[in-house]
Amino acid sequence: MVRLAKLVIDSTQLETYTIYLKEEIETSIKKEPGVLTLYAITEKARPTHITILEIYANAEAYQRHIKTPHFLKYKNGTKEMVKSLELIEGISLVPSMKIK
């Protein structure tokens, strides 16, 4: 399962949002074998615009992920900081390719 999460964050809360995001990503990668990649970037010209590449082993791994305490802490802790969220489902063009 592959998707992009495109977010716009309230500029006054960007630093706090980043702390939540970093903790959530690091914990997910460390504790969840089904979370293959969570890679977040911010746009250079618009630092409040964040894109996260999400790769899960399968849909079940994603469903487990969104029920974890660390994801729920992130989601609930940042809900007032997120001005917009767009989730884009993707299909891998080269499924055998692994991220090093």
Side-chain angles (χ1 to χ4, degrees):
M1 181 178 170
V2 179
R3 76 175 188 187
L4 294 175
K6 297 178 69 81
L7 302 100
V8 178
I9 307 303
D10 176 1
S11 62
T12 65
Q13 300 184 71
L14 185 58
E15 187 175 330
T16 303
Y17 174 84
T18 304
I19 292 168
Y20 272 99
L21 179 63
K22 182 177 188 260
E23 179 184 343
E24 196 280 324
I25 287 175
E26 289 175 345
T27 304
S28 297
I29 294 298
K30 183 178 179 181
K31 293 188 172 186
E32 296 181 70
V35 177
L36 304 180
T37 300
L38 290 174
Y39 194 83
I41 65 164
T42 185
E43 293 183 24
K44 198 172 195 177
R46 300 184 300 177
T48 59
H49 289 64
I50 294 172
T51 301
I52 306 168
L53 169 63
E54 304 178 28
I55 303 177
Y56 304 93
N58 51 43
E60 293 78 23
Y62 170 72
Q63 289 302 318
R64 283 190 302 273
H65 170 68
I66 62 173
K67 294 174 184 161
T68 61
H70 51 273
F71 177 80
L72 293 172
K73 177 182 176 184
Y74 159 78
K75 191 70 173 173
N76 293 323
T78 62
K79 65 184 171 186
E80 300 300 321
M81 301 174 194
V82 177
K83 293 171 68 175
S84 72
L85 169 62
E86 178 184 9
L87 300 174
I88 303 167
E89 298 293 328
I91 299 171
S92 177
L93 295 176
V94 186
S96 62
M97 182 61 66
K98 302 293 181 204
I99 295 177
K100 292 184 179 183

